[in-house]
Amino acid sequence: ILNVEQSPQSLHVQEGDSTNFTCSFPSSNFYALHWYRWETAKSPEALFVMTLNGDEKKKGRISATLNTKEGYSYLYIKGSQPEDSATYLCAPVPNGNKLVFGAGTILRVKS
Amino acid sequence: EPEVTQTPSHQVTQMGQEVILRCVPISNHLYFYWYRQILGQKVEFLVSFYNNEISEKSEIFDDQFSVERPDGSNFTLKIRSTKLEDSAMYFCASGSRGTYEQYFGPGTRLTVT
């Protein structure tokens, strides 16, 4: 069973703060890594799919990096806004197309 | 923007009853998936489906579960005889050829009493 760890479990920040979370996974049998943003009662929203070691992706104020050799990915949010409040899920793909999810990081941004 | 839809949003059923959860994937997608999240636990993979057959399934996906694409637009998950432990949020996802991307629906909350 692939063990995917996300830290921290939850995070409370002030509006304007920058923040980052970690996803760690076994570095063997790696095909891709997904990041999703999930608000309650809505569909998980795809943020990034990363496949190559050293990949860096950016979408507005959110960016992510990938290190497949050591088995981790970081998600950064610059200048957090209340609307960034959500659960952020990472999901490596060890083989095929099956996503293996971490438990998520719950972000709450206070205005 | 195209999206995956799921119906119903909430289903309550009695133990032992059959349920069918319905999904309409994004129209040009070829890969279809079901995942579920039991309250307080991680989202977990159930099954993937491509070219009208199951391509991979997890240990959870036993003989009580089945999937079907009955009419080229819907993708269904059937649980033949529900158990209390089947209570969860069930997510459908779809993806297109040549990418790893999977687009999720909003989920169906299944409550087995």
Side-chain angles (χ1 to χ4, degrees), chain B residues 37-56:
Chain B
Q37 186 187 36
I38 294 170
L39 191 64
Q41 298 185 20
K42 295 179 180 181
V43 176
E44 50 191 354
F45 168 81
L46 292 178
V47 66
S48 58
F49 190 86
Y50 170 71
N51 202 24
N52 282 320
E53 60 183 25
I54 290 173
S55 43
E56 189 173 359

Side-chain angles (χ1 to χ4, degrees), chain A residues 12-52:
Chain A
H12 294 252
V13 301
Q14 288 293 129
E15 183 176 354
D17 287 351
S18 293
T19 187
N20 65 84
F21 343 119
T22 305
C23 173
S24 57
F25 53 90
S27 54
S28 57
N29 296 326
F30 175 86
Y31 280 74
L33 183 130
H34 296 240
W35 279 101
Y36 285 89
R37 179 178 177 279
W38 185 23
E39 289 183 72
T40 306
K42 294 187 179 178
S43 305
E45 174 197 351
L47 291 174
F48 305 113
V49 181
M50 309 171 79
T51 55
L52 298 175

Side-chain angles (χ1 to χ4, degrees), chain B residues 13-78:
Chain B
T13 190
Q14 287 192 324
M15 197 166 53
Q17 296 296 303
E18 174 184 286
V19 293
I20 297 176
L21 309 183
R22 300 181 194 279
C23 169
V24 179
I26 293 173
S27 62
N28 61 345
H29 284 183
L30 300 175
Y31 297 85
F32 312 108
Y33 310 87
W34 284 100
Y35 293 82
R36 77 174 186 188
Q37 186 187 36
I38 294 170
L39 191 64
Q41 298 185 20
K42 295 179 180 181
V43 176
E44 50 191 354
F45 168 81
L46 292 178
V47 66
S48 58
F49 190 86
Y50 170 71
N51 202 24
N52 282 320
E53 60 183 25
I54 290 173
S55 43
E56 189 173 359
K57 59 183 181 179
S58 71
E59 294 169 354
I60 304 164
F61 196 89
D62 61 21
D63 292 344
Q64 293 300 310
F65 290 86
S66 62
V67 289
E68 197 178 27
R69 190 154 158 79
D71 55 14
S73 61
N74 290 285
F75 180 51
T76 62
L77 174 71
K78 183 194 289 187

